[in-house]
Amino acid sequence: MAECEVIIVGLGAMGSACAYHLARRGIRVLGLDRFAPPHAFGSSHGRTRIIREAYFEHPLYVPLVRRAYGLWTELEKLTGRSLFRQTGGLMIGKPDSVVVAGAVRSAQEHSLPHEVLPGAEVRYRFPALHPTDDMVAVWEPRAGILFPEICLEAHLTLARNLGAELHTEEPVLSWEGNGDGVRVTTSKGAYHAGQLVLTAGSWIQSLVTDLKLPLVVERQVQFWFEPKRPLEFQPERCPIHIWEHEPGRFFYGFPDLGEGVKVACHHEGEIANPDSINREVRPEDIEAMRAVVRQFLPDADGPLRSAVVCMYTDTPDGHFFIDRHPAHPRVLIASPCSGHGFKFSSVIGDVLASLLTGGPMQFDLSLFKDRPLKAT
Ligand SMILES: Cc1cc2nc3c(=O)[nH]c(=O)nc-3n(C[C@H](O)[C@H](O)[C@H](O)COP(=O)(O)OP(=O)(O)OC[C@H]3O[C@@H](n4cnc5c(N)ncnc54)[C@H](O)[C@@H]3O)c2cc1C
């Protein structure tokens, strides 16, 4: 049976970063994936992801995202690839909305540069965006766009160069703890390691069937529309934007990077199973998105260029899940990121590597662990 120090199951956003950060610490790593990442079957495809700092979900994410920025920059230097484009960002909604009030709170607590703009000023400065007069926007200059498939490839390439063994098209079928480690069985063989990391994204529940993880997989569609006024959507004039357009209802959008204006709803997707999810985009999916676009981005309401289905893996409170298996301390579970994890994957890879090697931990992870889990 092949031996290594750590086995990683799932080489998507989190697993690829973890492989890199372990390999750079000199740890013997085996990474396994059922597909050949980057692929379009999980949660990390669709050409763009937002990164932002004035984190409306909770101020505790701010130190993590700051470190993530640093690590993305480092990765760009090491690989010579362009992974990030700064556009600035707008969080738009009523003054007391989750998105606006939360972004202001994080910005104030962490002294982040920001401005609160009235709706009319947003319309003037960013003519693509049409907030109503009772909306405001929190402007943050450092926000921008990550290119997820390239980021993932960068982590995998560096991990491989540093000696990580990465097997693709090799699904993990099961694992079991034994005295001094963990045994993992795949479609092609069996492996033994001191520790196991489960970063299987939307498939995580199939690998911990003994736990009642309170997770839900959600179908999400990403759309690219042809803009009617292309100049308004150029990255110089159109930052990334996240809207709470009604209480508890969110959508977001990107400038046109040459492929059309990308928009998507945040949540509101149907509950799905990752193995049987409907990957066809239906007319009703398009119509629901267009209704929002017509109201708030009317100049993006041109022909649909493309659309693709993706998956969120949601926790009940929307915060991440990073913790040891309660019955198997050699097994670390990390990935259900409730639709906002990509930007953090660089730092989560580093955090996981520290947890696995007993290194110092500089971040407060209390939001992500000690969740009410029971082994059955
Ligand atoms: C439409 C959409 C938009 C998003 N927008 C943003 C955004 O703007 N900003 C942001 O920060 N985040 C965003 N997110 C969230 C972010 O993309 C995810 O949190 C992140 O990509 C999840 O990474 P992951 O590693 O957990 O999952 P994945 O990247 O899906 O990786 C899981 C991997 O596990 C593998 N796997 C599963 N089961 C097995 C098995 N049994 N054996 C071997 N391998 C297995 C899979 O093949 C896959 O490669 C968005 C997500 C979606 C879907």
Side-chain angles (χ1 to χ4, degrees):
M1 200 188 309
E3 267 301 324
C4 58
E5 289 174 86
V6 179
I7 294 177
I8 303 172
V9 182
L11 296 173
M14 307 303 159
S16 62
C18 181
Y20 164 60
H21 283 283
L22 283 172
R24 106 188 242 194
R25 284 167 169 78
I27 303 294
R28 276 179 292 119
V29 185
L30 170 64
L32 300 161
D33 201 285
R34 65 190 305 149
F35 300 117
H39 57 72
F41 308 113
S43 304
S44 301
H45 57 283
R47 303 184 277 220
T48 48
R49 290 289 185 268
I50 290 172
I51 180 165
R52 56 197 157 87
E53 208 174 9
Y55 220 68
F56 67 79
E57 287 86 346
H58 200 288
L60 210 128
Y61 288 91
V62 175
L64 281 161
V65 83
R66 285 180 148 172
R67 178 71 182 133
Y69 269 103
L71 288 168
W72 290 123
T73 305
E74 197 178 295
L75 199 61
E76 281 194 322
K77 288 195 184 124
L78 288 170
T79 57
R81 301 195 70 178
S82 174
L83 307 178
F84 168 66
R85 174 153 188 176
Q86 187 171 351
T87 59
L90 290 166
M91 305 298 121
I92 308 172
K94 304 260 171 69
D96 62 351
S97 61
V98 172
V99 159
V100 169
V104 169
R105 179 183 167 206
S106 275
Q108 287 175 345
E109 274 189 30
H110 291 277
S111 305
L112 303 175
H114 71 289
E115 276 178 79
V116 180
L117 310 175
E121 190 174 340
V122 174
R123 295 196 298 271
Y124 176 73
R125 276 172 63 174
F126 309 103
L129 313 180
H130 288 228
T132 50
D133 280 336
D134 57 356
M135 289 176 166
V136 297
V138 184
W139 161 255
E140 56 161 295
R142 263 187 108 196
I145 302 170
L146 290 165
F147 305 110
E149 290 87 349
I150 307 175
C151 293
L152 217 149
E153 238 169 40
H155 274 137
L156 291 177
T157 304
L158 287 189
R160 234 182 237 115
N161 292 348
L162 289 164
E165 199 181 323
L166 306 179
H167 297 190
T168 57
E169 314 278 0
E170 185 169 347
V172 168
L173 306 177
S174 64
W175 61 268
E176 60 191 7
N178 55 21
D180 58 345
V182 185
R183 178 193 153 98
V184 171
T185 306
T186 72
S187 57
K188 296 185 183 162
Y191 307 91
H192 187 267
Q195 298 189 79
L196 175 65
V197 191
L198 301 175
T199 44
S202 296
W203 287 268
I204 195 86
Q205 308 201 67
S206 63
L207 291 165
V208 280
T209 48
D210 57 329
L211 297 182
K212 297 217 177 311
L213 292 181
L215 302 176
V216 168
V217 175
E218 203 184 343
R219 178 178 177 274
Q220 296 285 306
V221 187
Q222 307 172 83
F223 301 88
W224 287 260
F225 289 103
E226 184 79 43
K228 293 189 206 162
R229 292 175 189 264
L231 285 181
E232 288 181 0
F233 292 92
Q234 290 307 297
E236 299 73 26
R237 300 189 76 193
C238 180
I240 60 94
H241 43 103
I242 302 183
W243 303 63
E244 188 170 348
H245 58 106
E246 285 178 28
R249 297 192 67 202
F250 308 88
F251 83 98
Y252 58 90
F254 296 80
D256 184 355
L257 300 180
E259 291 154 337
V261 175
K262 180 177 169 183
V263 286
C265 290
H266 182 48
H267 298 299
E268 300 187 31
E270 65 209 47
I271 293 176
N273 176 317
D275 294 317
S276 57
I277 186 169
N278 181 1
R279 294 188 185 273
E280 297 293 312
V281 177
R282 302 165 301 212
E284 56 267 35
D285 296 324
I286 303 168
E287 199 32 57
M289 191 72 245
R290 264 199 199 284
V292 178
V293 166
R294 263 185 220 122
Q295 197 176 352
F296 298 107
L297 310 170
D299 296 327
D301 186 25
L304 180 70
R305 274 213 198 167
S306 57
V308 67
V309 170
C310 195
M311 293 183 287
Y312 282 179
T313 310
D314 299 329
T315 59
D317 60 8
H319 296 309
F320 303 163
F321 186 107
I322 302 176
D323 208 352
R324 303 252 172 206
H325 189 296
H328 299 278
R330 291 171 178 276
V331 179
L332 189 54
I333 305 170
S335 55
C337 286
S338 302
H340 62 111
F342 193 86
K343 64 185 80 58
F344 297 98
S345 53
S346 57
V347 66
I348 289 180
D350 197 23
V351 161
L352 296 177
S354 289
L355 292 173
L356 291 158
T357 56
M361 179 51 56
Q362 52 177 313
F363 300 107
D364 179 353
L365 304 178
S366 55
L367 278 180
F368 314 143
K369 56 204 265 287
D370 299 329
R371 290 170 173 280
L373 289 184
K374 277 206 185 76
T376 52

